[in-house]
Amino acid sequence: MEIVKVKLYKLGLKLISPFITGFGRIDVKETLIVELTDAEGRVGYGECASLHAPIFNEESVDTCFIVIKNYLTPLILNKKYDKVEDIVENFDEIVGNNIAKAGVEFALWDIYSQLSGISLKKLFGGTKKKIQIGANSIGIQDTPEIVLNKIDQELSKGLERIKLKIKPGNDIRLLDTIRARYPNITLMVDANASYNLNAHIDLLKKMDRYGLVMIEQPFKANTIVDHSILQKQIKTAVCLDESIKDVLSTSDAIKIKACKIVNIKPARIGGVVKTKEINNMLLKNSIKTWCGGMLETSIGRAYNILLSSLNNFDYPADISPVDHYFQDIVNYEPFPIIDGQIVVPDRVGLGVDIDKDLLSRYTVEAYMSE
Ligand code: OSB
Ligand code: MG
């Protein structure tokens, strides 16, 4: 396998309504589409599902653009490899920048699947025919009543697991209101690192009252220790998202029992090979996982669906249809949701139709290797 061309498309996609979380507000979801061409003319697609600014992790769409252009492209261009794993191994010489690496790795797998005639599902080791998905993440709203309306909408679509964004000041009253109306729905909260152990321990202990499936990432990414202190004092499962960056942070979290659940975002941890490595480590330690999202287009979502079909991805995934969030879309929903489930594609290549006209309409910046 030999890559002869790298193309990047930076997109700006308007959301239907602003997505507000503990890390800030998104009005326009930026993303970076990676297009690779091999020596025999096969084309593969990947996505760097970063945000417009380094507010979730250290990366942004612009840092992904530069890292791919200046550092990853030279590692893959005009070199012959037998396996994707052999290329991806070289990515380890670049520190961090996982979302950039994942976007390139995804596109390499698309090409390798076409070249080998083996489905991506089989290459990744997926075992499930269908995956369970959760409702859209409900961002922070002005009042608990607006949140109730959004929950009504999600439940009416047959999506049973509700995920609410919370932050200090938008938590206890919100949960009281929701539990008063819906005592039994499957509910979880995601704090996106907006709390801190010293100031909020008593408040977080109160969360045990609400029968939550998990509390996702209460504290900052680089404090696995504080999460461990919290997990020892509450019954509700702590789930780590931002803190799980790689194999080492995962093994740290396991060693000090910082969480009972891990959210694997294939983008955040740097792609398919790392997803499998981390998942195997979790499996050995009886820690369940599920696939999170980064408001991907259906290109990124396709890889998340495939990886959600691995053993141990046992909670519903954040893979609601792209048209729920986006006003601007680059392709029409290729993954129908039936009874809260998506059928895992088992075909050669990514199989998402990229509408080139739509892609160029939303492209705000592009790059093509020489
Ligand atoms: O923390 O899960 C998160 C979106 C962007 C960045 C971080 C997160 C999210 C979401 C959206 O919650 C989940 C989705 O993609 O559907
Ligand atoms: Mg999260």
Side-chain angles (χ1 to χ4, degrees):
M1 149 178 206
E2 183 183 359
I3 302 303
V4 296
K5 193 160 83 184
V6 177
K7 257 186 113 169
L8 301 176
Y9 305 83
K10 173 181 165 179
L11 310 182
L13 302 169
K14 275 198 213 88
L15 297 182
I16 294 165
S17 53
F19 187 66
I20 302 175
T21 73
F23 59 67
R25 171 184 172 120
I26 308 173
D27 291 284
V28 174
K29 175 64 176 68
E30 290 187 1
T31 192
L32 190 70
I33 304 299
V34 181
E35 182 189 285
L36 302 181
T37 307
D38 80 352
E40 273 109 44
R42 297 178 194 93
V43 178
Y45 285 95
E47 175 169 1
C48 302
S50 201
L51 304 180
H52 59 284
I55 51 178
F56 168 77
N57 70 354
E58 295 83 348
E59 300 178 85
S60 71
V61 167
D62 291 326
T63 69
C64 292
F65 195 102
I66 297 286
V67 167
I68 295 175
K69 177 171 166 285
N70 292 357
Y71 309 112
L72 300 178
T73 295
L75 292 178
I76 63 172
L77 205 60
N78 304 321
K79 300 201 157 82
K80 289 203 174 73
Y81 288 98
D82 290 334
K83 302 201 316 264
V84 177
E85 287 88 339
D86 297 341
I87 312 180
V88 169
E89 211 177 77
N90 297 328
F91 291 0
D92 284 344
E93 58 187 70
I94 310 289
V95 177
N97 292 287
N98 291 343
I99 301 182
K101 292 172 181 171
V104 176
E105 191 194 331
F106 291 147
L108 290 169
W109 281 112
D110 186 3
I111 290 183
Y112 185 77
S113 168
Q114 297 171 45
L115 178 158
S116 63
I118 306 170
S119 74
L120 283 167
K121 182 179 171 189
K122 199 154 185 210
L123 289 172
F124 295 172
T127 55
K128 298 177 188 150
K129 283 209 162 63
K130 291 176 179 172
I131 58 154
Q132 194 75 35
I133 63 148
N136 281 305
S137 237
I138 300 179
I140 289 161
Q141 311 292 329
D142 290 338
T143 66
E145 289 65 38
I146 303 176
V147 176
L148 278 182
N149 283 335
K150 301 236 171 219
I151 294 177
D152 292 343
Q153 276 170 32
E154 296 300 323
L155 294 175
S156 72
K157 291 182 221 153
L159 298 170
E160 281 162 13
R161 183 278 266 151
I162 300 291
K163 168 169 160 178
L164 297 178
K165 295 294 192 182
I166 56 165
K167 66 174 188 184
N170 273 269
D171 39 35
I172 296 296
R173 194 164 77 83
L174 176 65
L175 288 169
D176 280 335
T177 313
I178 290 166
R179 278 303 188 209
R181 164 101 72 101
Y182 292 115
N184 297 319
I185 55 169
T186 306
L187 193 62
M188 57 177 284
V189 294
D190 184 1
N192 285 111
S194 57
Y195 292 80
N196 110 27
L197 180 69
N198 288 337
H200 301 118
I201 182 69
D202 292 335
L203 188 149
L204 290 165
K205 280 188 188 166
K206 287 188 191 149
M207 300 246 176
D208 267 343
R209 294 181 194 156
Y210 301 99
L212 303 171
V213 185
M214 64 188 97
I215 301 179
E216 202 181 326
Q217 196 70 39
F219 308 133
K220 293 257 184 273
N222 52 3
T223 178
I224 288 178
V225 172
D226 283 358
H227 286 99
S228 161
I229 294 172
L230 175 69
Q231 183 66 92
K232 288 183 180 63
Q233 297 185 52
I234 62 173
K235 286 203 283 305
T236 309
V238 171
C239 168
L240 292 178
D241 176 353
E242 286 88 329
S243 290
I244 300 294
K245 295 166 186 281
D246 49 24
V247 172
L248 278 180
S249 46
T250 310
S251 94
D252 281 354
I254 293 171
K255 281 181 202 155
I256 61 167
K257 298 188 167 51
C259 62
K260 293 182 178 161
I261 302 172
V262 163
N263 166 339
I264 292 185
K265 288 181 181 166
R268 190 196 67 232
I269 58 163
V272 177
V273 174
K274 306 283 190 213
T275 293
K276 287 167 64 171
E277 221 176 312
I278 289 177
N279 186 43
N280 287 338
M281 187 186 271
L282 296 174
L283 201 56
K284 270 199 214 115
N285 290 280
S286 306
I287 296 183
K288 295 284 180 207
T289 189
W290 58 286
C291 182
M294 291 288 294
L295 299 176
E296 293 87 352
T297 71
S298 43
I299 298 169
R301 291 294 213 214
Y303 293 99
N304 289 353
I305 290 167
L306 289 158
L307 291 166
S308 298
S309 76
L310 298 183
N311 189 11
N312 203 40
F313 279 73
D314 285 352
Y315 291 96
D318 266 351
I319 308 183
S320 46
V322 285
D323 52 6
H324 287 185
Y325 289 114
F326 292 106
Q327 197 172 312
D328 300 334
I329 48 177
V330 287
N331 46 24
Y332 296 94
E333 186 50 45
F335 305 112
I337 294 170
I338 301 157
D339 296 332
Q341 297 186 317
I342 295 177
V343 175
V344 181
D346 194 6
R347 59 187 161 223
V348 168
L350 183 62
V352 172
D353 289 325
I354 317 284
D355 186 323
K356 281 300 193 86
D357 292 336
L358 288 176
L359 192 61
S360 60
R361 184 187 309 166
Y362 299 120
T363 297
V364 292
E365 196 179 343
Y367 161 76
M368 191 166 87
S369 59
E370 309 269 296

